[in-house]
Amino acid sequence: MSENAINRYHFTADWGGSRIGFTEISGLDIEIEAVVTRDSSNPVDSGRKIPGLRKFSNIILKRGIAKNDNDFFNWINTKSIGNIERRNITIKLLNEEHEPIFIWMVKNAFPVKYNGPILISNDSEIAFETLELTHEGLTVTTP
């Protein structure tokens, strides 16, 4: 492991809700689709690959449920016919001094799925909820 490696456990997400701390955030992925093209007069039966559209994974925010906090549920319920509240989100990976090391900026995010907790009668674990977001773009910066 490199001495410059960064721990992944100290982060925040400014998403428009009252709490910015999460147990887990995943889906900070970007993929470029490979498009195969071929000229019909080319005798070779394979194509040439060119870059196509950029694709962004859905982002999943996971946290423990807290009393009097329905922010996830309230956001997904902003959906009306053909419309939903969109938000720009800022996710920051922090160092020991609580300063950002990496910043992910998410454009026009909105929830597509809410998962409530799994309730088990003989278990004392924390109840978690997740919110899955789709969005229109992701940029990464280092301050």
Side-chain angles (χ1 to χ4, degrees), residues 47-63:
R48 178 175 168 255
K49 292 185 180 180
I50 60 171
L53 293 176
R54 190 176 316 200
K55 294 192 247 179
F56 304 98
S57 297
N58 285 351
I59 294 173
I60 298 176
L61 305 175
K62 181 179 180 179
R63 66 182 185 175

Side-chain angles (χ1 to χ4, degrees), residues 110-122:
F110 64 90
V112 293
K113 185 177 183 180
Y114 169 82
N115 283 20
I118 298 171
L119 305 174
I120 303 172
S121 65
N122 63 350

Side-chain angles (χ1 to χ4, degrees), residues 30-88:
I30 302 172
E31 181 180 340
I32 296 176
E33 181 181 21
V35 177
V36 179
T37 64
R38 183 178 171 280
D39 185 322
S40 64
S41 65
N42 191 335
V44 179
D45 64 353
S46 62
R48 178 175 168 255
K49 292 185 180 180
I50 60 171
L53 293 176
R54 190 176 316 200
K55 294 192 247 179
F56 304 98
S57 297
N58 285 351
I59 294 173
I60 298 176
L61 305 175
K62 181 179 180 179
R63 66 182 185 175
I65 291 179
K67 186 177 180 179
N68 297 324
D69 181 359
N70 278 345
D71 284 350
F72 275 6
F73 191 73
N74 291 339
W75 188 13
I76 200 164
N77 279 322
T78 64
K79 188 207 178 291
S80 60
I81 298 173
N83 200 9
I84 195 165
E85 182 183 340
R86 293 172 181 260
R87 299 179 184 175
N88 292 328

Side-chain angles (χ1 to χ4, degrees), residues 1-7 93 96 101-102:
M1 185 69 62
S2 168
E3 62 187 51
N4 294 327
I6 300 169
N7 287 320
L93 181 62
E96 296 81 17
I101 303 168
F102 281 90

